[in-house]
Amino acid sequence: QEARDGVTLGAEGVGLLRSEFLFDERETAPDEEEQAAEYVAVAQALGPERSLVIRTLDVGGDKPLAYLPMPKEDNPFLGLRGLRVSLENPAMFRAQLRAILRTARLTRLHIMFPMVATLDEWRKAKATVDAILAEEHLAAGQVDVKIGLMIEVPSAALIAERFARESDFFSIGTNDLTQYVLAMDRGHPKLASKADGLNPAVLRTISLACEGAHKHGKWVGVCGGMASDPLAVPVLIGLGVDELSVSVPAVPTIKSLVRRLSLKDCQELAQEILQMGTATEVRACLQAFAA
C-alpha cells in the first residue's frame, strides 16, 4: 500500500524497502515463498518503469530477532549487524536473495546490502547473488539487476572509490553514518540531540562517498532521515547526492523543493558549508539559504 501511495504522490520508485519488517515480531523466519509474495506485490505496484531498491536483512544491534539467537555482545552496534548477520546465516541469506530475484522481470530491481564495512564482505555477498543468478539461469542479458551497498560506516566512505569500481550504486544511511562518525549513540538520552547529521564531519563523509562513486559513473542516494528534511536537501544536492529516498508523505514537498533549487547554488552552498566547524554554524547557513 505504501508503494501505491508513493506512486500516487509522484515517487519515481522505492528507494529503501526495509525487508526486516517481514522478519520482525514473529517466531520463525519467513520462507522464500512468503517473502517473494511481498516483494512481487511491491514490484507490481511500481511497474516496470520505476526502480525498486530492496535492502537485504538488516538486524542486530538495536534490532534483534527472537528466533535468531545471537551471543550477548558488549558493543552490539559494533558486532553482528546488517550484512554480517546474513553472511553468518547463509541459508537464510540465499532464501532471501532468491525471493528478491523473483521481482527482476517486473521492475527495475536493485539489491542493496546494509552495514558494509570491508571489500571482503561486499565481495562475498555479491558472489552469493551472482551464484544464484547462475543457478537460476538468469544471465545478465535476461534480467537487469543492480547491486549496491549502503554507506553507513566511515570505512566504506573512506574507500568509496574502491567500492564504486565493483558496485552499481551507493545509498547513504545518514542515521547510522552520523552515529558512527561522531561516536554518539543516536538513541542515547543525553547524546541524541548532539548526533546531528548536519555536523560538518558527517557532511564531509557524505562528500567523500559521492566523489568516489562519481569517479566511476555510479549514482548515490540518501535513505536516512536527512533526505526528508527540507533544510538538509540543498546541501545534499550540492555535495553530489543523486537520489533522495524520503518518507511517503514527504514526496510532494521534497520534489517541489528540488525543482525550485539551482544546482550551481547548491554546489556553492556545499563548498561554503564544508569549511565550517559546527552543526550550529551549518544550520544557521542553511536557514539563511532557505529564507
Side-chain angles (χ1 to χ4, degrees), residues 3 14 17-23 30-47 52-58 92-104 106-107 109 111:
V14 170
L17 188 139
R18 302 173 186 267
S19 68
E20 62 270 17
F21 290 166
L22 288 176
F23 291 76
D31 62 20
E32 181 181 335
E33 295 300 322
E34 181 182 349
Q35 291 185 64
E38 297 290 344
Y39 303 145
V40 165
V42 175
Q44 290 173 333
L46 294 175
L52 169 59
V53 182
I54 301 180
R55 180 173 70 184
T56 59
L57 183 62
D58 186 15
M92 187 170 70
F93 188 35
R94 288 174 63 86
Q96 179 174 37
L97 291 172
R98 285 195 301 268
I100 289 172
L101 286 167
R102 295 204 203 178
T103 69
L106 301 173
T107 191
L109 175 63
I111 299 174

Side-chain angles (χ1 to χ4, degrees), residues 125-288:
K126 186 176 184 299
T128 305
V129 178
D130 292 338
I132 294 172
L133 285 169
E135 291 165 10
E136 301 289 335
H137 303 291
L138 295 173
Q142 293 177 287
V143 294
D144 183 18
V145 180
K146 305 299 185 186
I147 306 174
L149 64 146
M150 293 192 72
I151 303 290
E152 299 173 275
V153 295
S155 62
L158 288 169
I159 58 168
E161 186 272 336
R162 193 63 190 78
F163 275 111
R165 298 182 201 177
E166 303 180 21
S167 63
D168 294 314
F169 67 95
F170 294 161
S171 189
I172 300 173
T174 54
N175 300 344
D176 269 320
L177 182 64
T178 298
Q179 80 168 352
Y180 287 122
V181 168
L182 300 179
M184 291 182 183
D185 182 350
R186 55 193 172 97
H188 192 288
K190 292 187 177 180
L191 297 176
S193 62
K194 298 178 182 179
D196 192 337
L198 290 174
N199 184 290
V202 179
L203 297 177
R204 281 182 173 272
T205 309
I206 292 172
S207 179
L208 275 176
C210 292
E211 288 174 15
H214 293 164
K215 280 183 180 178
H216 296 278
K218 308 300 170 61
W219 62 266
V220 182
V222 166
C223 61
M226 285 174 65
S228 298
D229 181 357
L231 192 67
V233 166
V235 70
L236 291 177
I237 292 173
L239 291 171
V241 170
D242 305 292
E243 180 203 79
L244 299 170
S245 176
V246 307
S247 60
V248 171
V251 169
T253 300
I254 299 301
K255 285 194 78 171
S256 176
L257 170 61
V258 171
R259 287 187 176 122
R260 297 196 306 270
L261 292 170
S262 154
L263 177 58
K264 182 175 181 292
D265 289 347
C266 290
Q267 290 170 335
E268 291 175 354
L269 172 71
Q271 290 309 305
E272 179 182 355
I273 281 175
L274 288 178
Q275 306 309 311
M276 295 179 177
T278 70
T280 301
E281 294 170 357
V282 171
R283 287 187 173 276
C285 181
L286 289 174
Q287 286 163 355

